[in-house]
Amino acid sequence: MRRRLLLFLVTIDFVLVCAFAYCWGGGLVQFLGQNLSLKFYNGVLNLYVPGVLGAQEEGIPNIYRDVTASMYPAIAQNEQRLWYESQEENLAYYENQAAEENEQAKQIIAENEKAVTQQPVQQESQNVDETPTQKESKKPEKKTEASGKKVSVNRKKLQDFDYLRQTFYQVDNTTTIGKNQLDVDKLMKPDLRIDQSVDGPQILIYHTHSQERYADSKDEKTGVVGVGDYLTELLEEEGFQVMHHKGEYDVGDRDHAYSKAAPSIQKIINDNPSIQVVIDLHRDGVGENTRLVTTQNGKKMAKIMFFNGLSRTTASGDIPYLKNPYISDNLAFSFQMQLAAAEYYPDFTRRIYLKGYRFNMHFCPKSMLVEVGAQTNTFEEAKNAMEPLADLFAKVLK
C-alpha cells in the first residue's frame, strides 16, 4: 500500500514538473539565451573598453553591438547588411516630402527675390569673402545655360544653422547632423576646382542601381544609364575627361548593390589615379501621384537631388565599420553645387538628402550621389536635366 501511494505521489510530482517545464521552459530558454548573449557582449567590452561597463544600463545596448562588431567581422557583416543595404522606399512618406519640398522651394525663391530687390548692392558686398570668383566662360551658351545669377542667396541668413538646415537639407530620421558639420563657412571654404591638366579620366560616372528606369523607358539606353551617357557627353563638351562605367550591380539582388559595386569602383580609381570626381547617378522612387518636374529656360525637365551619407545612425552614433574620412568634403561638394543651383537654376534641385549610412562615398573627397527625377518622370525630362547639371559641375569644378 505504501509503495502504491509513493508511486502515485512520484507520478503526480512528475506530471507537475512536466507541466511547469512546458509552460515556463520557453521563457527560461529565452532568458538563458539573452543572459549568455549579454555575457558575451560584456566580455568583449571588458576586454577592450572596460570603462564602458560601469556606465551602461541592463540589456544589450547599441554600443555593445558596435564594439563587438568592430572586433568580430562576421557580426559586422551582418549588421552592415541590415543597416547599410536597407533601401526600401516608403512611397507615402516620399510623396508628402516632395509636396513639402515644392512649397518650401517656392517660399525660398520668393524670399531671395525679395532680398535681391531690396538690397542688391549690400548683398554683393556681403558675398565678397564667402564665394570663390567664377571664371567667365567664352563658350557659346547652351539653350538651358543661365547667362547669370537669377537669384542672389542671402549668405547672412545661411549663417543661421536652423535656416540652413531647413532651407538646404532634408535629414532622414536614421541620422543626425549638428552645427559643427553644417557650418556655411566650412562648407564654402574648400576650393573644389580640379586639375584639368592631368592625362586620363578626371571624372568617373557610374550607377549602383543601373536597372533604374523612367515612366517610358524601354531599355538601358532610356534608363538611368542613358542619362549618364548624356551627362558624359555634356561634361566632355565642358572640357573634362570623363569615364562612364556601366557595370551592373543590382541585377537579381538590388539589396546588396552597394557592397557588390565597391570593389569594382575602388579598382577603377586605383587603376586611374587621375580621377578626382566620382558621381553615382541614380533615379529616385516616389509616390505615383508625385511629379518632380521643373522648367528651366523654357524646357521641362526632372528635378534632381544631391544625396549624402553620414555613416552615423540616430540610435548608436558613428558606425565604426562604415568609416568615411571624406564626409566633410562630400558635404562641401553637395552644398556648393546646391548653392550654385539655387542662384543659377532656382527650383531645379530638391533639398540635399542626408541619410545615416555610407553609400560608397568614401572613395574620394569629391564623391557625389545624384538622384535624377523619379519613376514618374519621362526619360526626356531626366535627360534634359543633365544640361543644367553639367553647367553646375563646370561652375564648381573649374
Side-chain angles (χ1 to χ4, degrees):
M1 186 66 180
R2 287 184 177 180
R3 289 182 178 178
R4 291 181 179 178
L5 181 59
L6 181 60
L7 180 61
F8 175 75
L9 292 175
V10 169
T11 303
I12 293 298
D13 289 341
F14 179 74
V15 171
L16 290 174
V17 169
C18 290
F20 176 81
Y22 178 79
C23 294
W24 302 100
L28 180 62
V29 170
Q30 183 179 5
F31 170 77
L32 290 174
Q34 289 179 344
N35 192 41
L36 288 173
S37 179
L38 178 58
K39 286 183 177 180
F40 172 72
Y41 282 104
N42 280 341
V44 174
L45 286 177
N46 190 43
L47 178 62
Y48 293 100
V49 281
V52 174
L53 288 177
Q56 296 302 317
E57 298 177 355
E58 294 181 359
I60 306 177
N62 287 315
I63 186 171
Y64 285 30
R65 302 185 187 281
D66 290 344
V67 173
T68 305
S70 67
M71 301 300 123
Y72 295 89
I75 295 176
Q77 183 178 4
N78 182 59
E79 292 291 319
Q80 179 175 0
R81 184 170 66 252
L82 294 175
W83 284 348
Y84 179 47
E85 300 291 354
S86 178
Q87 301 289 325
E88 292 297 323
E89 301 284 0
N90 184 326
L91 298 184
Y93 169 78
Y94 283 102
E95 185 171 283
N96 292 334
Q97 174 191 323
E100 179 185 346
E101 287 175 353
N102 289 336
E103 290 301 318
Q104 290 196 355
K106 293 177 183 178
Q107 182 180 354
I108 293 164
I109 293 170
E111 287 182 1
N112 288 329
E113 287 177 345
K114 183 178 180 181
V116 173
T117 304
Q118 293 177 348
Q119 301 178 344
V121 178
Q122 186 177 359
Q123 287 296 326
E124 287 297 320
S125 65
Q126 291 171 356
N127 297 345
V128 171
D129 297 329
E130 296 179 351
T131 52
T133 304
Q134 300 288 348
K135 296 181 180 179
E136 293 294 331
S137 174
K138 295 184 179 179
K139 297 179 182 179
E141 289 183 2
K142 298 183 182 67
K143 291 183 180 180
T144 58
E145 183 175 347
S147 59
K149 290 184 181 180
K150 295 181 179 178
V151 172
S152 181
V153 175
N154 189 330
R155 304 297 176 85
K156 274 194 171 182
K157 293 184 74 172
L158 296 181
Q159 300 286 343
D160 182 331
F161 168 74
D162 292 327
Y163 177 81
L164 176 62
R165 184 181 182 278
Q166 294 171 11
T167 304
F168 277 74
Y169 294 92
Q170 177 78 25
V171 184
D172 189 87
N173 59 10
T174 61
T175 194
T176 59
I177 194 164
K179 296 180 180 179
N180 60 322
Q181 286 184 301
L182 290 191
D183 181 322
V184 70
D185 293 328
K186 291 180 181 179
L187 295 171
M188 290 301 299
K189 185 176 181 180
D191 184 348
L192 300 178
R193 291 175 294 181
I194 67 172
D195 183 0
Q196 291 185 264
S197 65
V198 298
D199 292 329
Q202 300 149 359
I203 298 176
L204 169 65
I205 298 174
Y206 77 102
H207 312 272
T208 300
H209 296 146
S210 63
Q211 304 306 300
E212 290 175 331
R213 302 286 193 262
Y214 294 95
D216 57 348
S217 294
K218 298 179 180 178
D219 51 28
E220 180 184 88
K221 293 181 180 180
T222 54
V224 71
V225 174
V227 174
D229 284 334
Y230 191 45
L231 178 60
T232 300
E233 176 187 331
L234 294 171
L235 289 174
E236 288 176 342
E237 290 178 5
E238 292 285 357
F240 298 109
Q241 298 181 56
V242 184
M243 175 187 291
H244 185 196
H245 174 61
K246 301 181 183 181
E248 298 180 348
Y249 304 106
D250 59 336
V251 176
D253 184 12
R254 178 184 171 91
D255 290 341
H256 297 84
Y258 285 95
S259 296
K260 289 167 63 177
S264 298
I265 304 307
Q266 187 64 71
K267 185 178 185 305
I268 291 173
I269 293 173
N270 292 343
D271 293 344
N272 299 274
S274 57
I275 291 175
Q276 302 164 63
V277 178
V278 177
I279 303 168
D280 186 6
L281 206 63
H282 287 252
R283 180 230 71 194
D284 203 0
V286 299
E288 291 299 325
N289 294 325
T290 298
R291 289 270 293 150
L292 302 174
V293 179
T294 182
T295 300
Q296 301 295 329
N297 294 346
K299 184 178 288 190
K300 285 188 176 182
M301 59 189 65
K303 289 187 176 185
I304 68 165
M305 181 173 71
F306 303 122
F307 187 109
N308 286 97
L310 300 180
S311 295
R312 177 193 305 120
T313 64
T314 304
S316 57
D318 293 341
I319 304 174
Y321 43 87
L322 293 179
K323 293 188 181 299
N324 179 0
Y326 304 124
I327 290 179
S328 60
D329 300 284
N330 298 161
L331 288 169
F333 191 15
S334 62
F335 176 76
Q336 291 190 29
M337 289 287 290
Q338 184 82 356
L339 182 61
E343 293 179 327
Y344 289 91
Y345 300 98
D347 197 37
F348 174 55
T349 58
R350 303 157 67 189
R351 286 179 293 169
I352 301 170
Y353 201 90
L354 304 180
K355 202 165 184 178
Y357 316 115
R358 186 170 64 181
F359 300 98
N360 286 344
M361 299 185 72
H362 60 296
F363 292 122
C364 73
K366 298 183 189 69
S367 292
M368 173 168 285
L369 193 157
V370 185
E371 300 274 8
V372 183
Q375 83 281 6
T376 54
N377 287 104
T378 65
F379 172 68
E380 187 69 21
E381 290 167 347
K383 184 179 176 181
N384 289 344
M386 295 302 94
E387 295 174 11
L389 181 61
D391 184 46
L392 291 171
F393 276 123
K395 283 174 164 48
V396 172
L397 297 175
K398 282 186 177 182

